Amino acid sequence: MKPFLTIIDGETIQRTLGTAYLLLERIGIEIESPETLSLLGDHAGVRIDAGARRAYFSEAVILRALKKVPAEITLYDREKKEAARLGKGEVYFVPGSSALNILDLGAADPREAVCADLEQLARLTGAIAAYKIQSTA
């Protein structure tokens, strides 16, 4: 049996979820794609402000969508071998998801990332056995 660590109590989780629902309903999410906004607008409960490029999600819409999500998904690597199963208490550490700026060794100021930086990050994380997955956001 794997150990399980609880960092946040149930009441704090519920309060955090309540705040997230409130933010998604009142502030919404900026969506740059008009096609995506249109798709979201076709679903009951998603309020769209096309001028502001925002979608507003009610708690009911969010809960309905979450019921459709599988409890577990499997990610595969380039060789089509199973890399990770997300869900059911599995924990993975991801070394970062977007390298928008890079601070080179010895540099005083960060610079804007280029494709070669992402390639190096992918090679590095691929070589470290502790990292099973790498986000590419």
Side-chain angles (χ1 to χ4, degrees):
M1 184 170 146
K2 291 184 181 184
F4 188 80
L5 175 65
T6 301
I7 298 174
I8 304 172
D9 63 82
E11 181 184 327
T12 303
I13 291 171
Q14 291 308 312
R15 227 178 27 251
T16 303
L17 283 171
T19 302
Y21 295 142
L22 195 62
L23 289 170
L24 288 167
E25 189 163 16
R26 291 188 184 172
I27 296 174
I29 298 174
E30 182 179 0
I31 308 282
E32 294 184 0
S33 164
E35 294 85 7
T36 302
L37 275 174
S38 180
L39 280 170
L40 289 170
D42 292 340
H43 296 283
V46 179
R47 184 170 52 90
I48 302 297
D49 181 340
R53 299 184 318 190
R54 297 193 85 72
Y56 303 89
F57 299 82
S58 68
E59 181 177 345
V61 167
I62 295 165
L63 293 174
R64 189 169 59 241
L66 288 173
K67 286 181 182 177
K68 296 178 182 179
V69 177
E72 180 179 290
I73 62 169
T74 304
L75 301 179
Y76 296 89
D77 64 16
R78 287 183 294 268
E79 286 80 37
K80 298 182 181 175
K81 294 182 202 159
E82 185 177 307
R85 284 189 188 194
L86 304 181
K88 298 199 178 182
E90 295 297 325
V91 175
Y92 297 95
F93 294 96
V94 180
S97 64
S98 61
L100 300 177
N101 294 295
I102 302 293
L103 182 61
D104 290 312
L105 183 64
D109 297 310
R111 62 174 172 79
E112 197 169 300
V114 296
C115 287
D117 296 316
L118 181 57
E119 291 172 13
Q120 288 180 343
L121 178 63
R123 280 193 201 98
L124 177 63
T125 58
I128 299 173
Y131 292 134
K132 303 294 183 199
I133 55 177
Q134 165 60 42
S135 176
T136 58

